[in-house]
Amino acid sequence: MERIGHYIGGKHVPGESGRRGPVYDPSTGQQTHEVDFADTAELGQAVDAAREALPAWRATSLSKRAEIMFRIRELLDERKTDVATVLTSQHGKVLSDAMGEVQRGLENVEYATAIPHLLKGGFSEQVSTGVDVFEIRQPLGVVAGITPFNFPAMVPIWMCANAMACGNTFILKPSEKDPGAALVLAELFADAGLPDGVFNVVQGDKVAVDAILEHPDIRAVSFVGSTPIARYIYTNGTANGKRVQALGGAKNHMIVLPDADVDMVADAAVSAGYGSAGERCMAISVLTGVGKVADTVIDAIADRLPKIKVGPGLDPESEMGPLITREHRDKVASYLDSGSAQGARIVADGREHQLYKDSPGFFLAPSLMDNVTPEMDAYKDEIFGPVLSVTRAETYDQAVDLVNRNPYGNGVALFTRDGGAARRFTFEVEAGMVGINVPIPVPVAYYSFGGWKNSLFGDAHMYGPEGIRFYTRGKVVTQRWPDPAKSTVDLGFPRTR
Ligand code: NAD
């Protein structure tokens, strides 16, 4: 069985802890690799390598760092199919979707190429007689990223592009379910001229994560994953004095007002509900129809479902691939049973698909449930799979109230042709990312990504301007160049007037 190991100080390093986990091809259900699980000592080696690389990398000029980011950008563009293929073979998402993931990651590298501009500080001349003040932002040191299975290339790039451009050295702990893409990135960064030790990969599970949270030389931790783990990372990381941003799970609603175009709504709901088999933190999980519009929308969605081609991610005909593991697929499917038992109407059951019945792969076809209510498990839990729930609201206010009462606040979308309603919604809704007739409002790289409530712990959103701020700390310098001949003793507190 081929092994996937660590990447430390510019070298592939096989794990020595003796602990390993399986990596599957979700479309065949076969195990293809074993991934090494780091212990505390192996994480320590990565920190040593990152600490050793830090002084020279910190001192590397901004234009040189920008040049390396430009080279990474070019190589990532050239090799996007290689990255996407590895990603598809371990995650299961269809290749076109994996290419989209790489492209959205690439945007973050493009943003980081502007690092000389992004790190410009402020300068105030003559704040007092002959005194000037300037502010600079400096890197934190060694920082770490812990990432989820569902975006094995894009989410690491969300973090490391800005972190490295700011002058930090980086340790990535990817998901143990699809750890291969991280090593492809490590090799690509090295080929682009990134010095050894600036980007390191430590594979593993909770043991490696806890070692990151406890290591005194790791200054900051970026996390993306489920809400319980995000809360754990935030609580423990900050207790150990680290700066932490921890993005959690989601339950994204799409509210449909009666004036919306039904076909456009159905196209958007199907794309955003079932793309990547619903394994996106910005996937639409609940469609809330206001008034009678839900009846026509459900019919329009149901019409589209049989036409979605479910199949292996590397088959160019496939539009939706398998789920990440058999256990996860079965858990997702179980919401159809609990939903039905709790009073929902199953409009489409993905277990009726041939691939669910016959294939050893982890397939579940698009599933649709109507009359879902907030008390049901299918509403309360983040399903994270191709099961779309439909709820109904009598009024706009009821629909917004539903979203605002939900403990998650990642993304939300409103479909309408009424600009006034859209503006009011933007003002009132409690979520970090809002789409108006856009079902998956993932911000472009020059804004920042982050939810509210249980979708984010910490006060910094990820990438974009907030990412630059997260990976740096401010320093304010007050300076004067006085004439020594005029120097006096003054015990008063320094005044500006
Ligand atoms: P996960 O929380 O299970 O795992 C995320 C990371 O945490 C992995 O690296 C994993 O190894 C580690 N981990 C898992 N269990 C741990 C434990 N007990 N202690 C310490 N570390 C642990 O998440 P996942 O299943 O890989 O990813 C799916 C989840 O991520 C969904 O909830 C999804 O909404 C969320 N997500 C959120 C965003 C966002 O931006 N808010 C983006 C992508 C995914």
Side-chain angles (χ1 to χ4, degrees):
M1 185 71 57
E2 211 179 317
R3 268 172 66 187
I4 297 176
H6 316 303
Y7 186 89
I8 298 174
K11 291 189 193 66
H12 288 279
V13 178
E16 288 184 350
S17 73
R19 294 174 56 248
R20 291 183 205 139
V23 177
Y24 296 95
D25 176 345
S27 66
T28 62
Q30 299 301 309
Q31 185 182 342
T32 56
H33 295 83
E34 265 187 324
V35 58
D36 292 324
F37 286 178
D39 58 18
T40 308
E42 288 168 310
L43 183 272
Q45 285 168 24
V47 177
D48 291 347
R51 215 179 30 207
E52 218 169 283
L54 186 64
W57 181 241
R58 231 208 100 169
T60 300
S61 72
L62 288 175
S63 51
K64 179 73 190 164
R65 277 189 246 154
E67 188 189 1
I68 291 174
M69 286 297 146
F70 272 108
R71 277 202 238 124
I72 290 177
R73 193 252 164 238
E74 289 312 302
L75 283 188
L76 201 50
D77 192 40
E78 254 171 65
R79 299 184 195 172
K80 55 182 181 273
T81 313
D82 303 347
V83 182
T85 304
V86 171
L87 209 152
T88 289
S89 66
Q90 295 179 5
H91 175 283
K93 64 176 74 176
V94 296
L95 190 65
S96 55
D97 193 34
M99 297 285 274
E101 163 173 356
V102 178
Q103 199 263 318
R104 292 307 299 263
L106 194 72
E107 282 179 17
N108 289 271
V109 180
E110 286 167 353
Y111 182 77
T113 60
I115 198 65
H117 174 73
L118 295 168
L119 282 185
K120 276 199 285 195
F123 187 94
S124 298
E125 187 184 46
Q126 197 74 349
V127 298
S128 183
T129 309
V131 179
D132 305 325
V133 171
F134 62 95
E135 188 200 21
I136 48 182
R137 297 207 65 88
Q138 297 188 330
L140 303 178
V142 178
V143 299
I146 301 164
T147 52
F149 80 82
N150 68 324
F151 284 107
M154 181 184 77
V155 170
I157 297 172
W158 280 3
M159 301 171 179
C160 72
N162 282 339
M164 298 188 306
C166 287
N168 302 283
T169 53
F170 194 86
I171 297 170
L172 172 65
K173 204 303 282 171
S175 169
E176 66 277 32
K177 295 187 181 124
D178 45 13
L183 296 182
V184 180
L185 290 180
E187 287 171 3
L188 186 152
F189 294 169
D191 291 348
L194 192 75
D196 292 347
V198 176
F199 180 80
N200 307 276
V201 180
V202 170
Q203 310 286 3
D205 59 356
K206 180 171 166 43
V207 173
V209 170
D210 286 341
I212 288 173
L213 296 177
E214 282 159 23
H215 200 296
D217 291 338
I218 294 179
R219 303 278 176 235
V221 177
S222 299
F223 173 87
V224 175
S226 60
T227 288
I229 312 298
R231 190 182 278 117
Y232 174 83
I233 302 283
Y234 185 74
T235 307
N236 289 284
T238 53
N240 289 331
K242 299 181 197 316
R243 191 177 282 195
V244 180
Q245 53 178 182
L247 278 61
K251 193 78 186 174
N252 307 310
H253 292 64
M254 169 170 171
I255 297 182
V256 181
L257 296 189
D259 68 341
D261 182 273
V262 168
D263 282 320
M264 190 178 99
V265 165
D267 287 340
V270 168
S271 312
Y274 305 110
S276 197
E279 291 175 327
R280 291 182 184 139
C281 64
M282 291 290 274
I284 291 295
S285 178
V286 180
L287 184 147
T288 303
V290 176
K292 296 204 166 49
V293 72
D295 296 334
T296 38
V297 167
I298 284 181
D299 290 345
I301 293 175
D303 276 352
R304 285 159 171 77
L305 297 191
K307 296 176 199 144
I308 296 175
K309 178 96 177 42
V310 181
L314 288 176
D315 179 344
E317 301 254 296
S318 302
E319 293 172 290
M320 193 188 108
L323 282 83
I324 184 74
T325 57
R326 179 174 304 281
E327 297 70 48
H328 182 59
R329 191 273 307 265
D330 293 346
K331 172 102 198 292
V332 169
S334 76
Y335 286 101
L336 293 162
D337 291 331
S338 70
S340 168
Q342 291 164 14
R345 179 173 72 94
I346 310 298
V347 182
D349 187 332
R351 294 171 295 188
E352 285 164 11
H353 196 281
Q354 213 57 34
L355 283 174
Y356 177 88
K357 294 180 188 157
D358 299 340
S359 164
F362 312 140
F363 292 99
L364 175 68
S367 305
L368 181 64
M369 282 198 285
D370 191 12
N371 291 327
V372 174
T373 58
E375 301 74 39
M376 295 179 187
D377 293 332
Y379 182 84
K380 285 192 283 195
D381 296 354
E382 177 186 34
I383 300 178
F384 218 56
V387 176
L388 178 64
S389 300
V390 177
T391 66
R392 283 133 193 280
E394 278 170 28
T395 62
Y396 162 89
D397 285 322
Q398 269 182 13
V400 174
D401 192 47
L402 184 73
V403 174
N404 287 354
R405 275 189 288 117
N406 195 282
Y408 296 104
N410 214 40
V412 66
L414 180 76
F415 275 69
T416 181
R417 283 186 267 194
D418 180 340
R423 189 179 181 283
R424 183 174 158 198
F425 180 73
T426 306
F427 186 76
E428 293 175 342
V429 78
E430 293 184 17
M433 294 168 284
V434 178
I436 303 297
N437 299 317
V438 172
I440 304 192
V442 175
V444 284
Y446 36 98
Y447 286 82
S448 298
F449 180 109
W452 289 11
K453 301 186 272 187
N454 285 349
S455 296
L456 189 145
F457 301 88
D459 52 9
H461 287 201
M462 201 155 283
Y463 68 73
E466 295 210 19
I468 299 294
R469 203 178 161 75
F470 181 79
Y471 291 121
T472 55
R473 51 188 166 172
K475 188 179 267 181
V476 180
V477 181
T478 304
Q479 70 170 0
R480 65 187 182 124
W481 301 93
D483 178 353
K486 293 186 184 156
S487 179
T488 57
V489 171
D490 180 355
L491 299 191
F493 192 67
R495 279 164 297 159
T496 53
R497 308 171 203 177

